């Protein structure tokens, strides 16, 4: 039995958004969110006292995890194991929850897990990590650059990935920038990256190529001091141990923004007009899903 608690507790003080409203959002968005979480180990960011208080990342399934919650023992280095020889993980394991149903999703959100982060690979029933099924590039603007510049760069990334046979899906990060996803399962088996190291190398190649050709606007360098006025293409989130906030997840910002899938028409509008696009709160995301369905992958 799942018991919900403290439904009137305010988790977003600026908007007065309560825990009950957050739970309602996750229940209503579940039909399009759960496919993003299916078979993926989930790292949570929890705000027990709301976004005005302290938060913490949580990977392991917490004590008291209900017996009906599916978990997976995953190598602490993600998929860095000897795949070809069937070797075992060398660095230990983490027991992650896997969110395949509404009950598990509700249980985590009731623990004030506002953000849900996942790897770019899935786990089998045994917990063994599979080859990456998607590639992600995080477009992170350095002030004074913003979403407008991210949209301009996103069109460049789309072109570079299309040259490699990959169609991309844009998603507002719910924070400052954009995430671009490419479906690796759509590639011929012989051309798809076999592990996260290969995915990371591919994403880095694209990022560094754009840095060379558009260095006044794009950087592939992680040093924050070099990002001013540029869009940082974070290729590193494809590593086996790295995670990215899931599409449709809430963010722990001052307002209840969510990671919101876009159409490429919207990205093109954002590239043309600096005022055309902004991060979206959860009520806007729900309205979009009600009107248009699941926009993730629509523009592939």
């Amino acid at each position: 039995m799942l018991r919900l608690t403290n439904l009137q507790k305010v988790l977003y003080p600026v908007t007065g958004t309560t825990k009950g409203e957050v739970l309602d959002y996750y229940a209503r968005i579940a039909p399009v969110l759960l496919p993003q979480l299916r078979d993926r180990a989930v790292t949570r960011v929890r705000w027990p006292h709301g976004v005005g208080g302290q938060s913490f990342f949580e990977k392991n399934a917490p004590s008291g995890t209900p017996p009906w919650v599916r978990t997976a023992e995953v190598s602490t280095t993600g998929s860095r194991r000897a795949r070809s020889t069937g070797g075992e993980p060398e660095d230990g394991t983490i027991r992650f929850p896997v969110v395949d149903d509404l009950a598990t999703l509700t249980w985590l959100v009731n623990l004030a897990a506002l953000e849900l982060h996942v790897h770019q690979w899935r786990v089998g029933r045994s917990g063994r990590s599979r080859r990456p099924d998607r590639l992600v590039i995080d477009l992170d603007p350095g002030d004074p650059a913003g979403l407008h510049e991210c949209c301009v760069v996103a069109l460049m990334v789309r072109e570079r990935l299309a040259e490699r046979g990959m169609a991309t899906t844009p998603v507002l990060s719910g924070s400052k920038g954009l995430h671009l996803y490419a479906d690796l399962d759509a590639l011929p088996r012989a051309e798809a990256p076999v592990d996260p190291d290969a995915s990371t190398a591919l994403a880095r190649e694209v990022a560094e190529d754009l840095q060379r050709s558009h260095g006044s606007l794009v950087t592939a360098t992680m040093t924050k001091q070099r990002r001013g006025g540029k869009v940082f293409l974070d290729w590193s989130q494809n590593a086996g141990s790295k995670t990215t906030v899931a599409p449709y997840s809430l963010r722990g910002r001052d307002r209840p923004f969510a990671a919101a899938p876009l159409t490429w028409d919207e990205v093109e509008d954002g590239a043309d007009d600096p005022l055309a696009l902004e991060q979206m709160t959860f009520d806007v995301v729900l309205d979009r899903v009600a009107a248009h369905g699941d926009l993730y992958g629509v523009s592939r």
Side-chain angles (χ1 to χ4, degrees), residues 231-248:
V231 176
F232 170 49
L233 299 185
D234 187 354
W235 42 265
S236 70
Q237 293 186 32
N238 297 280
S241 59
K242 293 291 189 72
T243 60
T244 306
V245 71
Y248 296 112

Side-chain angles (χ1 to χ4, degrees), residues 279-299:
Q279 301 292 338
M280 299 179 189
T281 53
F282 69 168
D283 53 332
V284 175
V285 174
L286 286 170
D287 288 344
R288 286 165 62 86
V289 172
H292 307 294
D294 184 6
L295 287 178
Y296 186 89
V298 160
S299 298

Side-chain angles (χ1 to χ4, degrees), residues 139-140 145 149-161 163-164 205-221 226-233:
L139 282 66
D140 184 9
E149 288 78 10
C150 285
C151 289
V152 172
V153 175
L155 297 175
M156 301 176 190
V157 176
R158 178 179 67 169
E159 180 180 356
R160 292 296 195 278
L161 290 175
E163 292 169 355
R164 292 163 170 81
E205 178 184 326
V206 171
E208 292 181 342
D209 177 34
L210 286 172
Q211 178 179 254
R212 285 189 294 270
S213 59
H214 297 83
S216 63
L217 184 58
V218 177
T219 180
T221 304
R226 299 185 182 179
R227 299 187 199 176
K230 298 182 181 183
V231 176
F232 170 49
L233 299 185

Side-chain angles (χ1 to χ4, degrees), residues 34-101:
L34 287 174
Q36 300 295 334
L37 303 177
R38 180 178 57 83
D39 291 336
R40 298 189 194 272
V42 176
T43 295
R44 294 83 62 209
V45 188
R46 292 174 56 181
W47 276 266
H49 304 292
V51 297
Q54 291 186 333
S55 64
F56 62 95
F57 277 83
E58 185 175 55
K59 294 179 179 290
N60 272 303
S63 61
T65 295
W68 43 264
V69 171
R70 178 186 168 195
T71 60
E73 297 281 345
V74 175
S75 166
T76 55
T77 52
S79 61
R80 288 187 182 176
R81 62 176 77 196
R83 290 177 179 274
S84 60
T85 62
E88 294 299 317
E90 296 180 355
D91 299 325
T93 59
I94 294 175
R95 179 174 169 252
F96 284 93
V98 180
V99 184
D100 290 335
D101 53 47

Side-chain angles (χ1 to χ4, degrees), residues 149-277:
E149 288 78 10
C150 285
C151 289
V152 172
V153 175
L155 297 175
M156 301 176 190
V157 176
R158 178 179 67 169
E159 180 180 356
R160 292 296 195 278
L161 290 175
E163 292 169 355
R164 292 163 170 81
M166 289 181 281
T168 49
T169 298
V171 178
L172 283 171
S173 70
S175 181
K176 295 190 300 179
L178 287 172
H179 295 154
L180 297 182
Y181 291 93
D183 183 6
L184 297 178
D185 283 346
L187 293 175
R189 183 80 170 181
E191 298 177 15
V194 297
D195 58 30
D197 288 342
S199 293
T200 301
L202 173 57
R204 184 172 187 171
E205 178 184 326
V206 171
E208 292 181 342
D209 177 34
L210 286 172
Q211 178 179 254
R212 285 189 294 270
S213 59
H214 297 83
S216 63
L217 184 58
V218 177
T219 180
T221 304
M222 293 189 180
T223 306
K224 289 189 176 181
Q225 291 86 340
R226 299 185 182 179
R227 299 187 199 176
K230 298 182 181 183
V231 176
F232 170 49
L233 299 185
D234 187 354
W235 42 265
S236 70
Q237 293 186 32
N238 297 280
S241 59
K242 293 291 189 72
T243 60
T244 306
V245 71
Y248 296 112
S249 171
L250 286 177
R251 303 305 303 267
R253 310 292 290 181
D254 60 337
R255 299 174 184 275
F257 293 114
L262 300 170
T263 67
W264 278 109
D265 286 343
E266 290 175 308
V267 176
E268 290 169 1
D269 289 344
D272 291 336
D273 180 359
L275 301 179
L277 195 62

